[in-house]
Amino acid sequence: MIFFLIALIAFLIDQATKYWIATSLTINEQIPVIGNFFLITSHRNRGAAFGILKDQRWFFIVVTTVVLIGIVWYMLKIRKSGNRLLQTALALVLGGAVGNFFDRVLTGEVVDFLQFNFGSYTFPIFNVADSCIVVGVALIILDSILEIRREKQQAAEIKQEEQV
């Protein structure tokens, strides 16, 4: 299935970039990409997004295992639906979740390296897996909005047909 290939590609890109950072830079070393706005910064995160729940490795492993099983189950359930947007979204979430899960299982921490500064505010440093998850969730939300619109349109068409 093409969508599991998308998840695999997301995972491989994530792992390759993390390996490059981990082997090429020391922790906290920075490479400016676009001035002080975008930097490659070697960072390790022992928690979840924004560093919350730091050092809760087993909690993340258990929760992520349940989530991964749910995503794979749902991807298999909808595989014949023809909903490519939702399938792509789930594939991105799956690839990203597996990427961070893999790090947590092996080392207990996640390699982060994408840093953006907005004036004096520094957005929390993240990685390719995080990006895949965020884009995937955004696409799931978009698919939900589009599905609601489709259902409303179908209901309006049925109501119009009943009036004729």
Side-chain angles (χ1 to χ4, degrees), residues 54-75:
K54 187 176 180 183
D55 294 322
Q56 299 298 313
R57 180 180 185 184
W58 289 107
F59 170 77
F60 290 121
I61 289 172
V62 169
V63 169
T64 305
T65 299
V66 171
V67 168
L68 291 174
I69 290 168
I71 291 171
V72 170
W73 172 81
Y74 195 63
M75 286 178 72

Side-chain angles (χ1 to χ4, degrees), residues 120-133:
S120 62
Y121 174 74
T122 299
F123 191 81
I125 302 170
F126 59 99
N127 59 43
V128 172
D130 299 331
S131 300
C132 289
I133 293 168

Side-chain angles (χ1 to χ4, degrees), residues 1-11 71-72 74-76 78-96 139:
M1 195 157 100
I2 186 85
F3 301 103
F4 286 108
L5 181 60
I6 291 169
L8 177 63
I9 291 168
F11 169 77
I71 291 171
V72 170
Y74 195 63
M75 286 178 72
L76 292 172
I78 67 165
R79 72 180 176 268
K80 294 181 182 177
S81 70
N83 187 339
R84 294 181 184 270
L85 179 61
L86 182 57
Q87 291 171 315
T88 302
L90 291 169
L92 289 171
V93 173
L94 179 64
L139 292 175

Side-chain angles (χ1 to χ4, degrees), residues 151-164:
E151 288 173 3
K152 284 182 179 179
Q153 186 174 359
Q154 286 175 346
E157 289 171 1
I158 290 171
K159 190 173 184 179
Q160 187 178 20
E161 287 175 9
E162 289 174 352
Q163 292 176 351
V164 174

